[in-house]
Amino acid sequence: LKWKMTARLQRTTHALVFFGLFGVLEAATIACRNEEGEAVDWFIFYKLPKKQDKESRETGLEYLYLDSTIRSWKRSELLINATRSALGRTLQQLYETYAFKDNNTAYVLYNDGVPKSAGYSRNFGHTKGLLLWNRIQGFWLIHSIPRFPPIPEEGYDYPSTGRRNGQSGICITFRYNQYETIDSQLLVCNPNIYSCSIPATFHQELFHLPQLCAGSHSAKIPVRHLTTLQSAQGQSFLHFAKSDSFHDDIFAAWMAQQLKTHLLTETWQRKRQELPSNCSLPYHIYNIKAIKISHQSYFSSYQDHAKWCISQKGTKDHWTCIGDLNRSPHQAFRSGGFICNQNQNIYQAFQKLVLYHEDCN
């Protein structure tokens, strides 16, 4: 009996040590994080526009939130500039990496609108994002916010320029074996990297990012490239990357035809700078004109800097894509991309936001 109890005690101790270690690993593992600071496979945020009327309490910092553990949008009780917001918690890992001078972790921050600068760089892709990874895993944040995020030295903040309009973004946790593919996709997108650190330990597998980080690249850039990526928990994503030599509307000329679905698109509609809905090809593109948050609350696409699209209701494949290009004549000449998947919860969440769209003609 004594022997049995000792064996059981040892097993329990081993289990506790294992779970204790697992807890430490969990805390040390780079991942997208929810508002509780817990690792999630992916999350999506939709920052709502600042309401223009005087009575409104909307500050332009409220956001909707969805992740791999919940079924539909929840309106966050936190503001997006809070360090406890999903973005704040996730980016905290970047600021800690920088503070501890961690030589086993790499990061790349890119944006055509660099924080604290006045203009936008047209020599690079119209693409915005952040990567943080080690040899186990990391995350990729793709977003639409100009001048975001701050450089690692400065810690988390949200720019005042990102308040007025709606903004969108997706964070996905990836195992390290996906980074070689991400590396090639970013070459096509030609990002404007404004802060980066890629220690030598990664240079064998990752060819383009270290060069882009150093401000040079020698590779021939493909006109466009489509690839499949898998999140840490096995969710499939398609990533479309177009270079600036693909002179066409990414939605109509490529994505809709490739996905074989009519698409409803929500991108920034600036007056006299928008492409009309397009039904000239087998699969059509319809511009969303207004977004509804609730029965009483909606906003126009003119107030929305978010960039996403979904399959039209009634089509058999339910695609949702989030990225960084607008439907505008100028953006046909810019590089950038979209990440798409067929998760039902994501599709339903975005489907419910569509108030109405514009038909062709």
Side-chain angles (χ1 to χ4, degrees):
L1 190 67
K2 191 174 171 190
W3 172 81
K4 271 188 179 167
M5 280 180 72
T6 312
R8 192 180 302 155
L9 191 66
Q10 273 182 327
R11 272 206 307 276
T12 311
T13 313
H14 285 158
L16 285 171
V17 167
F18 173 77
F19 284 116
L21 273 175
F22 183 75
V24 172
L25 271 176
E26 168 77 346
T29 306
I30 300 168
C32 304
R33 306 239 160 222
N34 65 14
E35 292 173 351
E36 280 67 56
E38 299 155 347
V40 290
D41 195 43
W42 54 263
F43 73 71
I44 296 168
F45 70 88
Y46 205 134
K47 202 246 3 135
L48 304 174
K50 186 179 165 76
K51 283 288 183 351
Q52 308 304 322
D53 55 49
K54 295 278 187 287
E55 289 77 65
S56 174
R57 293 196 304 280
E58 306 280 301
T59 59
L61 295 169
E62 292 77 13
Y63 68 98
L64 304 178
Y65 176 83
L66 178 71
D67 71 26
S68 47
T69 68
I70 57 180
R71 291 190 59 149
S72 55
W73 291 118
K74 89 179 184 34
R75 194 171 174 138
S76 176
E77 289 172 21
L78 297 163
L79 298 177
I80 204 158
N81 62 349
T83 50
R84 284 171 37 243
S85 68
L87 276 179
R89 295 274 203 184
T90 301
L91 265 62
Q92 189 51 37
Q93 300 166 101
L94 165 70
Y95 303 121
E96 282 167 6
T97 293
Y98 177 78
F100 293 127
K101 300 278 178 268
D102 182 350
N103 285 333
N104 302 310
T105 306
Y107 61 84
V108 170
L109 283 64
Y110 60 93
N111 202 313
D112 58 316
V114 173
K116 299 191 169 169
S117 71
Y120 288 90
S121 173
R122 302 221 182 283
N123 305 331
F124 294 94
H126 189 268
T127 187
K128 302 167 175 63
L130 158 71
L131 296 143
L132 178 71
W133 73 95
N134 58 25
R135 294 194 73 86
I136 300 164
Q137 67 175 39
F139 66 80
W140 187 7
L141 171 69
I142 295 167
H143 66 86
S144 67
I145 308 160
R147 320 203 193 296
F148 178 84
I151 52 172
E153 296 89 303
E154 295 192 353
Y156 184 70
D157 199 8
Y158 187 84
S160 57
T161 47
R163 276 193 180 204
R164 187 156 125 214
N165 297 310
Q167 306 286 355
S168 56
I170 182 167
C171 180
I172 306 167
T173 304
F174 288 111
R175 297 264 184 251
Y176 182 57
N177 64 9
Q178 300 295 291
Y179 274 77
E180 213 170 320
T181 308
I182 294 171
D183 179 69
S184 300
Q185 291 301 95
L186 278 167
L187 172 73
V188 184
C189 294
N190 187 27
N192 182 26
I193 295 173
Y194 61 91
S195 179
C196 57
S197 167
I198 307 177
T201 170
F202 301 103
H203 291 196
Q204 207 165 352
E205 293 95 349
L206 307 182
F207 184 69
H208 306 300
L209 277 171
Q211 288 195 345
L212 291 167
C213 177
S216 69
H217 67 81
S218 52
K220 188 176 181 323
I221 298 177
V223 175
R224 60 178 180 178
H225 197 254
L226 176 63
T227 195
T228 308
L229 289 164
Q230 213 155 34
S231 73
Q233 286 175 19
Q235 178 88 241
S236 254
F237 289 87
L238 272 185
H239 188 261
F240 290 82
K242 95 172 194 66
S243 74
D244 54 12
S245 46
F246 179 79
H247 295 165
D248 215 332
D249 171 19
I250 191 172
F251 298 98
W254 188 16
M255 287 164 62
Q257 313 315 313
Q258 180 75 42
L259 299 173
K260 298 189 168 18
T261 182
H262 302 311
L263 289 176
L264 304 184
T265 65
E266 173 68 358
T267 68
W268 200 23
Q269 311 261 292
R270 296 171 75 183
K271 299 262 195 283
R272 293 183 298 281
Q273 282 191 31
E274 65 235 54
L275 291 172
S277 292
N278 184 340
C279 298
S280 65
L281 294 164
Y283 295 98
H284 305 164
I285 300 296
Y286 300 105
N287 290 332
I288 295 167
K289 300 307 278 183
I291 293 296
K292 69 167 186 283
I293 311 160
S294 67
H295 292 308
Q296 299 84 27
S297 183
Y298 67 91
F299 58 89
S300 139
S301 296
Y302 291 110
Q303 293 170 275
D304 200 9
H305 194 257
K307 292 143 195 16
W308 55 271
C309 63
I310 54 169
S311 298
Q312 189 179 17
K313 212 172 182 171
T315 46
K316 68 177 198 302
D317 291 328
H318 289 168
W319 286 99
T320 310
C321 306
I322 298 168
D324 41 37
L325 286 164
N326 296 312
R327 288 203 72 228
S328 111
H330 304 298
Q331 305 251 301
F333 299 93
R334 299 290 295 277
S335 49
F338 276 83
I339 199 152
C340 310
N341 91 334
Q342 290 184 288
N343 179 297
Q344 237 0 68
N345 292 343
I346 298 178
Y347 178 77
Q348 295 297 345
F350 277 94
Q351 178 68 55
K352 287 189 177 117
L353 295 175
V354 181
L355 184 61
Y356 68 95
H357 66 268
E358 161 196 87
D359 280 326
C360 292
N361 312 318

